[in-house]
Amino acid sequence: MPISESRRKANEKYNAKAYDEIKVRVAKGKKADLQAHATNNGESLNGFVNRAIDETVERDKGDGEE
């Protein structure tokens, strides 16, 4: 069932207030590979990307960054 227009607008308003957005571009076909990897690990693509970023930042801290 599609969401109502008022629900869509409320979601957009909340997302604008609660989240920053980053656009990531990958080579054709790579998105499907990343989606499959995330799904195989029980994650959404967004969750996987966020985890990858967080883990890399944490690892880099050990390398003297920040």
Side-chain angles (χ1 to χ4, degrees), residues 29-41 43-46 48:
K30 190 165 186 175
K31 179 182 176 185
D33 293 341
L34 295 171
Q35 180 68 62
H37 178 81
T39 300
N40 289 338
N41 286 286
E43 295 180 285
S44 66
L45 182 55
N46 189 67
F48 166 67

Side-chain angles (χ1 to χ4, degrees), residues 4-5 17 19 34 45 52 54 56:
S4 69
E5 183 67 17
K17 183 173 63 172
Y19 300 107
L34 295 171
L45 182 55
D54 291 344
T56 301

